[in-house]
Structures are given as structure tokens and as C-alpha cells.
Amino acid sequence: MSDTLTIIKSTPSELSLTLATTINDMHSECMTVDNQLTMIVLQKINLVRECGIMLIEAKAQATHGQWLPWIKDNLTMSEDTAQLYMRFAKANPEPVRYLADGIKTVKDAMV
């Protein structure tokens, strides 16, 4: 028995159709993933907003000098992150429903 490879040549139209189908299928998958990522970013943005709202409420309850020690003693985030979350919540009093053009990450949305 021979170990030769038989190459079947396809016509240009068959090749084009096969490639086009594969490319279109992959593009469709890319668009699906893109939509999923958008939903994940929206979910995270709104979680950041909710944390910010709660941080604002917690800070309002703290007396002078209690806030920073409270963050250090009770939260797993830094003071900078807490400030960022609160700024985001103040700038977005309502839940975020869509991402503006160019927003692909949470950091983009928080600038």
C-alpha cells in the first residue's frame, strides 16, 4: 500500500464558496462574542455603579476621620477604587443601558 496523498483540485468557484462560507461562519461567531462582551461590560459597569452608590451612602454615615480607616479595615478595594466607583455613580444616576461608541471596556466607560 502506498502512502501517497491524493490532492483533489477544486475549481475557483468551489474554493471561493468554501472559503466564503467559513469566513462568514467565523464572522458570525465574532459578532456573537462581541455582543456577549458588550453585555458583560454593561453588567460590570452597572455593578460598579451600584457599589459606588453604596459607598456614597457609607461615606455619608461616617464621621470625620472614619472614612479612610473604614475602607482599609472593611473593604477589599483601595481608596482610589472606592473614589472611582463613587465618581462613576455620581456621573450615572440611572443604570447604564447601552455603551457609547468607542466604549469597549469598563475603564473606557469610567473615564
Side-chain angles (χ1 to χ4, degrees):
M1 177 168 202
S2 171
D3 286 341
T4 59
L5 176 64
T6 305
I7 299 175
I8 301 172
K9 295 186 178 185
S10 31
T11 65
S13 63
E14 290 172 342
L15 177 64
S16 296
L17 182 58
T18 301
L19 277 175
T21 300
T22 302
I23 292 167
N24 286 331
D25 289 347
M26 291 177 79
H27 175 67
S28 178
E29 286 181 50
C30 287
M31 297 306 295
T32 298
V33 169
D34 203 33
N35 289 335
Q36 291 169 343
L37 287 172
T38 297
M39 296 308 295
I40 289 168
V41 170
L42 274 171
Q43 180 181 9
K44 186 171 180 185
I45 286 170
N46 283 302
L47 287 169
V48 164
R49 182 184 156 278
E50 288 297 318
C51 282
I53 290 168
M54 288 186 261
L55 286 162
I56 291 166
E57 292 170 3
K59 186 175 182 181
Q61 295 174 20
T63 60
H64 183 73
Q66 283 185 320
W67 178 239
L68 296 182
W70 186 83
I71 290 174
K72 289 177 185 170
D73 293 343
N74 295 288
L75 302 180
T76 58
M77 68 179 74
S78 68
E79 175 190 351
D80 289 343
T81 299
Q83 292 294 334
L84 184 66
Y85 284 13
M86 290 188 294
R87 268 196 317 273
F88 188 79
K90 287 176 185 175
N92 295 280
E94 297 296 322
V96 178
R97 304 263 184 240
Y98 65 92
L99 297 179
D101 289 340
I103 304 295
K104 296 290 183 191
T105 66
V106 174
K107 284 186 178 184
D108 292 342
M110 296 175 78
V111 174

